[in-house]
Structure formats: C-alpha cells, structure tokens
Amino acid sequence: MKLLIISDIHGSSYYANKILEIDKKENPDKIILLGDLYYHGPRNPLTDEYEPMKVVETLNSLKDKVLAVKGNCDAEVDEMISEFPLQENIQMKANGYNLFFSHGHKYNIEQLPPLGINIDIMFYGHFHVNFIEEKNGIIFVNPGSISLPKQNTEHGYAILSEEEILLKDIDGNIIKRRKI
C-alpha cells in the first residue's frame, strides 16, 4: 500500500491545489491528512492564497482517498463542511507495520499515546518541520507543513511505500529517504 501523508495546509488554496498534482504524480492508495486543514491559526501568518472554502472543495474532491486527523486549529465547523471525518488519531496496519497518525500537538516523539498501542511508525505534523527519526524502536516521521514550513525546511509531504519512507518537496524531489 502506498500512502501520501500531508500536514498543515492552513487554508492555502495554492498548496491544496498542489495536493491534486502530487496525487496524480504519486498515485497513492490513500491520502492521510494530519490536521490543520482550513484555518491559519493565531501564531501563523496567512498562507498563500488563503481561501479555506476552496481548500474544502479541493479536499472534498479527494474524499474517497482521504483519511484525516483533527489538528489543534480544526474546529467542529470544519467537520461540518468536510465530506470525510476528522478523527482524533488513526491506527492502521499497512505493509506489515503498525502505523499511528496524529496531528502532533498531543502525541509526538516526546509524548507517546497511551500504553498498549503497538506502534512501529508514527506520523505527525503540527511542528511544521520535516524529519525521520528513530527512538526507542519506533520510527517517527513528520512531513512538515505543505504550506507554512518552519526552520528553513521545504514545503513538502511524506510517502510510505512497501520499501521505504520518503520526505519530498512539493516538486517531488527527495529530501530524505529511509528504507524499512
């Protein structure tokens, strides 16, 4: 199974449209959205082409492929306009691995989910900085923010395939690769 993982769109119709291009190029089985879809948040500047309702239209056009978690900037009203559910977190098995997807403001490399949840790979956003790191036998992946990257990281996304995890910029250039 090939997964496309994207985080922190923050209402940018420009970068939401990039998701359509990335979807065509990467052809994933599922698109996992790690939250903060429509609102820019009080600590962030306005994104390029800040048009939350256009982002809604774009993401709803992908609803059959989308699984999404709720970010700290997502509200109940966002769930009402989304044609896919915004979950607190997502647990799934793919390619032989136990995957855990979260926004990152509650669960991350420093704050794990409750005991009893078996995790091989954990994906989360929130911090707008992309990385792949292993700690205590768990691989942690942050795709960064597609629209508002921080700490001189790229506008990007992650890909999970059967063989590897890739961090890519929005043009598809590989930033980091990890074989699994």
Side-chain angles (χ1 to χ4, degrees):
M1 176 178 285
K2 184 176 185 180
L3 302 177
L4 166 60
I5 302 103
I6 294 173
S7 191
D8 296 279
I9 303 164
H10 287 289
S12 173
S13 62
Y14 176 83
Y15 287 102
N17 285 329
K18 291 288 183 187
I19 295 170
L20 296 174
E21 295 172 21
I22 294 165
D23 177 54
K24 284 183 185 163
K25 185 178 1 178
E26 297 286 356
N27 193 28
D29 298 297
K30 290 287 181 191
I31 300 170
I32 312 292
L33 302 175
L34 298 179
D36 287 358
L37 306 178
Y38 310 125
Y39 179 54
H40 71 283
R43 296 182 307 176
N44 296 310
L46 288 176
T47 57
D48 289 344
E49 298 178 23
Y50 182 69
E51 299 170 295
M53 286 308 295
K54 287 189 178 180
V55 175
V56 171
E57 291 173 19
T58 301
L59 296 182
N60 283 343
S61 76
L62 297 167
K63 68 183 177 189
D64 293 335
K65 288 178 111 169
V66 166
L67 297 172
V69 298
K70 187 175 183 177
N72 62 309
C73 291
D74 297 319
E76 286 182 30
V77 69
D78 299 329
E79 295 179 78
M80 295 169 59
I81 58 175
S82 301
E83 295 176 9
F84 47 87
L86 298 178
Q87 304 172 61
E88 287 301 314
N89 58 64
I90 298 169
Q91 296 176 59
M92 66 186 292
K93 193 162 188 114
N95 305 335
Y97 295 96
N98 295 307
L99 308 177
F100 186 87
F101 300 90
S102 177
H103 178 61
H105 64 298
K106 291 181 183 176
Y107 304 123
N108 53 61
I109 194 168
E110 300 300 327
Q111 181 66 40
L112 294 176
L115 293 175
I117 297 176
N118 188 9
I119 302 171
D120 298 312
I121 306 171
M122 180 175 175
F123 292 87
Y124 64 92
H126 182 63
F127 297 97
H128 298 220
V129 177
N130 55 32
F131 68 84
I132 303 172
E133 189 174 319
E134 186 170 345
K135 183 177 178 183
N136 298 327
I138 300 173
I139 299 170
F140 294 90
V141 182
N142 191 317
S145 171
I146 194 165
S147 68
L148 292 170
K150 295 182 179 175
Q151 297 180 17
N152 297 315
T153 58
E154 297 83 356
H155 297 265
Y157 60 95
I159 293 288
L160 173 72
S161 68
E162 292 182 18
E163 311 84 34
E164 61 189 351
I165 301 165
L166 298 171
L167 294 180
K168 292 186 170 186
D169 68 18
I170 57 168
D171 296 320
N173 299 308
I174 296 171
I175 299 164
K176 189 163 188 178
R177 164 184 273 135
R178 178 177 174 125
K179 298 284 185 187
I180 54 173

CSV table of all heavy atoms in Angstrom, one decimal, residues 12-39:
chain,number,residue,atom,x,y,z
A,12,SER,N,-4.6,27.3,2.7
A,12,SER,CA,-3.9,27.7,1.4
A,12,SER,C,-4.5,27.0,0.2
A,12,SER,O,-4.2,25.8,0.0
A,12,SER,CB,-2.4,27.5,1.5
A,12,SER,OG,-1.9,27.8,0.2
A,13,SER,N,-5.3,27.7,-0.6
A,13,SER,CA,-5.8,27.0,-1.8
A,13,SER,C,-4.7,26.7,-2.8
A,13,SER,O,-4.7,25.8,-3.5
A,13,SER,CB,-6.9,27.9,-2.5
A,13,SER,OG,-6.4,29.1,-2.9
A,14,TYR,N,-3.6,27.6,-2.8
A,14,TYR,CA,-2.5,27.3,-3.6
A,14,TYR,C,-1.9,25.9,-3.3
A,14,TYR,O,-1.6,25.1,-4.2
A,14,TYR,CB,-1.4,28.4,-3.4
A,14,TYR,CG,-0.2,28.2,-4.2
A,14,TYR,CD1,-0.1,28.5,-5.6
A,14,TYR,CD2,1.0,27.6,-3.6
A,14,TYR,CE1,1.0,28.3,-6.3
A,14,TYR,CE2,2.1,27.4,-4.4
A,14,TYR,CZ,2.1,27.7,-5.7
A,14,TYR,OH,3.3,27.5,-6.5
A,15,TYR,N,-1.6,25.7,-2.1
A,15,TYR,CA,-1.0,24.4,-1.7
A,15,TYR,C,-2.0,23.2,-1.7
A,15,TYR,O,-1.6,22.1,-2.0
A,15,TYR,CB,-0.2,24.5,-0.4
A,15,TYR,CG,1.0,25.3,-0.6
A,15,TYR,CD1,1.1,26.6,-0.2
A,15,TYR,CD2,2.1,24.8,-1.2
A,15,TYR,CE1,2.3,27.4,-0.4
A,15,TYR,CE2,3.3,25.5,-1.4
A,15,TYR,CZ,3.3,26.8,-1.0
A,15,TYR,OH,4.5,27.6,-1.3
A,16,ALA,N,-3.2,23.5,-1.5
A,16,ALA,CA,-4.3,22.5,-1.7
A,16,ALA,C,-4.3,22.0,-3.1
A,16,ALA,O,-4.4,20.8,-3.4
A,16,ALA,CB,-5.6,23.0,-1.2
A,17,ASN,N,-4.2,22.9,-4.0
A,17,ASN,CA,-4.1,22.5,-5.5
A,17,ASN,C,-2.9,21.7,-5.8
A,17,ASN,O,-2.9,20.9,-6.6
A,17,ASN,CB,-4.2,23.8,-6.4
A,17,ASN,CG,-5.6,24.3,-6.4
A,17,ASN,OD1,-6.6,23.6,-6.3
A,17,ASN,ND2,-5.7,25.6,-6.6
A,18,LYS,N,-1.8,22.0,-5.1
A,18,LYS,CA,-0.6,21.2,-5.2
A,18,LYS,C,-0.8,19.7,-4.8
A,18,LYS,O,-0.2,18.8,-5.4
A,18,LYS,CB,0.6,21.7,-4.4
A,18,LYS,CG,1.1,23.1,-4.9
A,18,LYS,CD,1.9,22.9,-6.2
A,18,LYS,CE,2.5,24.2,-6.6
A,18,LYS,NZ,3.1,24.1,-7.9
A,19,ILE,N,-1.7,19.5,-3.9
A,19,ILE,CA,-2.1,18.2,-3.4
A,19,ILE,C,-2.7,17.4,-4.6
A,19,ILE,O,-2.4,16.2,-4.8
A,19,ILE,CB,-3.0,18.2,-2.2
A,19,ILE,CG1,-2.3,18.8,-1.0
A,19,ILE,CG2,-3.5,16.8,-1.9
A,19,ILE,CD1,-3.2,19.1,0.2
A,20,LEU,N,-3.5,18.1,-5.4
A,20,LEU,CA,-4.1,17.4,-6.6
A,20,LEU,C,-3.0,17.0,-7.6
A,20,LEU,O,-3.0,15.9,-8.1
A,20,LEU,CB,-5.0,18.4,-7.3
A,20,LEU,CG,-6.3,18.8,-6.6
A,20,LEU,CD1,-7.1,19.8,-7.3
A,20,LEU,CD2,-7.1,17.6,-6.2
A,21,GLU,N,-2.0,17.8,-7.8
A,21,GLU,CA,-0.8,17.5,-8.7
A,21,GLU,C,0.0,16.3,-8.1
A,21,GLU,O,0.4,15.4,-8.8
A,21,GLU,CB,0.1,18.7,-8.8
A,21,GLU,CG,-0.5,19.9,-9.5
A,21,GLU,CD,0.4,21.1,-9.5
A,21,GLU,OE1,1.6,21.0,-9.3
A,21,GLU,OE2,-0.2,22.2,-9.7
A,22,ILE,N,0.2,16.4,-6.8
A,22,ILE,CA,1.0,15.4,-6.1
A,22,ILE,C,0.3,14.0,-6.2
A,22,ILE,O,0.9,13.0,-6.4
A,22,ILE,CB,1.3,15.8,-4.6
A,22,ILE,CG1,2.3,17.0,-4.6
A,22,ILE,CG2,1.9,14.6,-3.9
A,22,ILE,CD1,2.3,17.7,-3.3
A,23,ASP,N,-1.1,14.1,-6.0
A,23,ASP,CA,-1.9,12.9,-6.0
A,23,ASP,C,-1.8,12.2,-7.4
A,23,ASP,O,-1.6,11.0,-7.5
A,23,ASP,CB,-3.3,13.2,-5.7
A,23,ASP,CG,-4.3,12.0,-5.8
A,23,ASP,OD1,-4.0,10.9,-5.2
A,23,ASP,OD2,-5.3,12.1,-6.6
A,24,LYS,N,-1.8,13.0,-8.5
A,24,LYS,CA,-1.7,12.5,-9.8
A,24,LYS,C,-0.3,11.9,-10.1
A,24,LYS,O,-0.2,10.8,-10.7
A,24,LYS,CB,-2.0,13.5,-10.9
A,24,LYS,CG,-3.4,13.9,-11.0
A,24,LYS,CD,-3.7,14.9,-12.1
A,24,LYS,CE,-5.2,15.2,-12.1
A,24,LYS,NZ,-5.5,16.5,-12.8
A,25,LYS,N,0.7,12.6,-9.6
A,25,LYS,CA,2.1,12.1,-9.8
A,25,LYS,C,2.4,10.9,-9.0
A,25,LYS,O,3.0,9.9,-9.5
A,25,LYS,CB,3.1,13.2,-9.4
A,25,LYS,CG,4.5,12.9,-9.7
A,25,LYS,CD,5.5,14.0,-9.4
A,25,LYS,CE,5.0,15.3,-8.9
A,25,LYS,NZ,6.0,16.3,-8.6
A,26,GLU,N,2.0,10.9,-7.7
A,26,GLU,CA,2.4,9.8,-6.8
A,26,GLU,C,1.4,8.6,-6.9
A,26,GLU,O,1.8,7.5,-6.6
A,26,GLU,CB,2.4,10.3,-5.3
A,26,GLU,CG,3.5,11.3,-5.1
A,26,GLU,CD,4.9,10.8,-5.1
A,26,GLU,OE1,5.1,9.6,-5.2
A,26,GLU,OE2,5.8,11.6,-4.9
A,27,ASN,N,0.2,8.9,-7.2
A,27,ASN,CA,-0.9,7.8,-7.3
A,27,ASN,C,-1.0,6.9,-6.1
A,27,ASN,O,-0.8,5.7,-6.1
A,27,ASN,CB,-0.7,7.0,-8.6
A,27,ASN,CG,-1.9,6.1,-8.9
A,27,ASN,OD1,-3.0,6.5,-8.5
A,27,ASN,ND2,-1.7,5.0,-9.5
A,28,PRO,N,-1.2,7.6,-4.9
A,28,PRO,CA,-1.3,6.8,-3.7
A,28,PRO,C,-2.6,6.0,-3.5
A,28,PRO,O,-3.6,6.4,-4.2
A,28,PRO,CB,-1.1,7.8,-2.6
A,28,PRO,CG,-1.8,9.0,-3.2
A,28,PRO,CD,-1.4,9.0,-4.6
A,29,ASP,N,-2.6,5.0,-2.7
A,29,ASP,CA,-3.8,4.3,-2.4
A,29,ASP,C,-4.7,5.1,-1.5
A,29,ASP,O,-5.9,5.2,-1.6
A,29,ASP,CB,-3.6,2.9,-1.7
A,29,ASP,CG,-2.8,2.0,-2.7
A,29,ASP,OD1,-3.3,1.7,-3.7
A,29,ASP,OD2,-1.6,1.7,-2.4
A,30,LYS,N,-4.1,5.8,-0.5
A,30,LYS,CA,-4.8,6.7,0.4
A,30,LYS,C,-4.0,8.0,0.6
A,30,LYS,O,-2.7,8.0,0.5
A,30,LYS,CB,-4.9,6.0,1.8
A,30,LYS,CG,-5.9,4.8,1.8
A,30,LYS,CD,-7.3,5.3,1.7
A,30,LYS,CE,-8.3,4.2,1.8
A,30,LYS,NZ,-9.7,4.6,1.4
A,31,ILE,N,-4.7,9.0,1.0
A,31,ILE,CA,-4.1,10.3,1.4
A,31,ILE,C,-4.4,10.5,2.8
A,31,ILE,O,-5.6,10.5,3.2
A,31,ILE,CB,-4.6,11.5,0.5
A,31,ILE,CG1,-4.3,11.3,-1.0
A,31,ILE,CG2,-4.0,12.8,1.0
A,31,ILE,CD1,-5.0,12.2,-1.9
A,32,ILE,N,-3.4,10.6,3.7
A,32,ILE,CA,-3.6,10.9,5.1
A,32,ILE,C,-3.3,12.3,5.4
A,32,ILE,O,-2.2,12.8,5.1
A,32,ILE,CB,-2.6,10.0,6.0
A,32,ILE,CG1,-2.6,8.5,5.5
A,32,ILE,CG2,-3.0,10.2,7.4
A,32,ILE,CD1,-3.9,7.8,5.7
A,33,LEU,N,-4.3,13.0,5.9
A,33,LEU,CA,-4.1,14.5,6.3
A,33,LEU,C,-3.9,14.5,7.8
A,33,LEU,O,-4.8,14.0,8.5
A,33,LEU,CB,-5.4,15.3,5.8
A,33,LEU,CG,-5.7,15.2,4.3
A,33,LEU,CD1,-7.0,16.0,4.0
A,33,LEU,CD2,-4.5,15.8,3.5
A,34,LEU,N,-2.9,15.2,8.2
A,34,LEU,CA,-2.5,15.2,9.6
A,34,LEU,C,-3.0,16.5,10.3
A,34,LEU,O,-2.5,16.9,11.3
A,34,LEU,CB,-1.0,15.1,9.8
A,34,LEU,CG,-0.4,13.8,9.3
A,34,LEU,CD1,1.1,13.8,9.5
A,34,LEU,CD2,-1.0,12.6,10.0
A,35,GLY,N,-4.1,17.1,9.8
A,35,GLY,CA,-4.7,18.2,10.5
A,35,GLY,C,-4.3,19.6,10.2
A,35,GLY,O,-3.4,19.8,9.3
A,36,ASP,N,-5.0,20.5,10.8
A,36,ASP,CA,-4.8,22.0,10.5
A,36,ASP,C,-5.1,22.2,9.0
A,36,ASP,O,-4.2,22.7,8.3
A,36,ASP,CB,-3.5,22.5,11.0
A,36,ASP,CG,-3.4,22.6,12.5
A,36,ASP,OD1,-4.4,22.4,13.2
A,36,ASP,OD2,-2.4,23.1,13.0
A,37,LEU,N,-6.3,21.9,8.6
A,37,LEU,CA,-6.7,22.0,7.2
A,37,LEU,C,-7.0,23.3,6.7
A,37,LEU,O,-6.5,23.8,5.7
A,37,LEU,CB,-7.9,21.0,6.9
A,37,LEU,CG,-7.7,19.6,7.4
A,37,LEU,CD1,-8.9,18.7,7.1
A,37,LEU,CD2,-6.4,18.9,6.8
A,38,TYR,N,-7.9,24.1,7.4
A,38,TYR,CA,-8.5,25.2,6.8
A,38,TYR,C,-8.1,26.6,7.5
A,38,TYR,O,-8.1,27.6,6.8
A,38,TYR,CB,-10.1,25.1,6.9
A,38,TYR,CG,-10.6,23.8,6.4
A,38,TYR,CD1,-11.4,23.0,7.1
A,38,TYR,CD2,-10.3,23.4,5.1
A,38,TYR,CE1,-11.9,21.8,6.6
A,38,TYR,CE2,-10.7,22.2,4.6
A,38,TYR,CZ,-11.5,21.4,5.3
A,38,TYR,OH,-12.0,20.2,4.9
A,39,TYR,N,-7.9,26.6,8.8
A,39,TYR,CA,-7.7,27.8,9.5
A,39,TYR,C,-6.2,28.1,9.6
A,39,TYR,O,-5.4,27.1,9.9
A,39,TYR,CB,-8.4,27.8,10.8
A,39,TYR,CG,-8.2,29.0,11.7
A,39,TYR,CD1,-8.5,30.3,11.2
A,39,TYR,CD2,-7.7,28.9,13.0
A,39,TYR,CE1,-8.3,31.4,12.0
A,39,TYR,CE2,-7.5,30.0,13.8
A,39,TYR,CZ,-7.8,31.3,13.3
A,39,TYR,OH,-7.6,32.4,14.1
